[in-house]
Amino acid sequence: LQRTKLCNYLEQKKKMEDCSTQHGIVTEVQTDRVFVLVEQKSACASCHARGACSSFDKKNKTIEVATKQASDYQKGDKVEVSISTRLGMKAVVIAFLVPFVLLVISLILCLKTFDFSEPLSCLVAIAITAIYYFVLFKQKDKLSSGFKFGIRHL
């Protein structure tokens, strides 16, 4: 019996390491969705000298969690929201890495291949990046279906 408890604990520990979690407060509940307000903090938030610093890098973000158990939650409940690390990394690649690569490649192509001037090359690179973000915005419903958040009471 003790070995089973230990194995379950280790399995749960491994699963938790594969997830990114944040604590938040439920702000709205719909039939199949829970909206959670989380406070995002940068690394500066844990610094002992943050009081003397002028960095104001706390942001509030609302996360929409699709769940069949939405009726189990009420406005004001303290909850933990989680997403797998793999999905979190996928989001970072889509939101930051791909546009950065597009920006750099389009800038280099404009300067070296098409012989555009520097200001024109910059404008073209920024326009291509803006188009990428516009397409992402238009596809947000399709993209969001691939990112599943977990939720549990604290």
Side-chain angles (χ1 to χ4, degrees):
L1 182 63
Q2 294 226 355
R3 177 155 167 61
T4 307
K5 287 181 182 178
L6 179 61
C7 290
N8 288 340
Y9 171 76
L10 291 175
E11 286 175 6
Q12 289 174 353
K13 182 81 170 151
K14 183 180 179 194
K15 288 178 187 171
M16 290 304 289
E17 289 173 358
D18 293 336
C19 289
S20 175
T21 61
Q22 288 189 322
H23 294 174
I25 298 173
V26 175
T27 56
E28 182 183 348
V29 179
Q30 295 178 356
T31 54
D32 62 345
R33 302 198 181 290
V34 178
F35 294 85
V36 180
L37 181 69
V38 294
E39 183 180 55
Q40 293 179 316
K41 301 175 189 172
S42 73
C44 298
S46 62
C47 177
H48 70 281
R50 70 181 178 273
C53 184
S54 62
S55 176
F56 294 102
D57 45 12
K58 292 182 185 178
K59 297 178 188 172
N60 289 331
K61 177 134 181 106
T62 300
I63 297 176
E64 181 180 339
V65 182
T67 178
K68 293 177 183 174
Q69 292 83 22
S71 61
D72 295 347
Y73 298 92
Q74 295 178 4
K75 187 175 180 177
D77 285 352
K78 292 184 180 183
V79 295
E80 180 179 72
V81 179
S82 62
I83 188 169
S84 76
T85 303
R86 184 180 59 79
L87 286 178
M89 294 306 286
K90 180 181 173 184
V92 168
V93 167
I94 291 171
F96 300 110
L97 186 62
V98 171
F100 175 74
V101 169
L102 275 174
L103 183 78
V104 171
I105 288 174
S106 59
L107 187 61
I108 291 170
L109 282 175
C110 286
L111 286 171
K112 301 296 181 186
T113 304
F114 301 119
D115 241 2
F116 290 172
S117 66
E118 286 181 11
L120 182 59
S121 296
C122 289
L123 284 175
V124 170
I126 290 170
I128 289 172
T129 306
I131 291 169
Y132 173 79
Y133 278 117
F134 179 75
V135 170
L136 272 186
F137 176 75
K138 287 296 189 181
Q139 297 294 319
K140 74 178 178 182
D141 291 335
K142 188 176 180 181
L143 282 171
S144 67
S145 67
F147 293 94
K148 300 293 181 197
F149 287 93
I151 187 170
R152 72 177 184 90
H153 282 99
L154 286 179

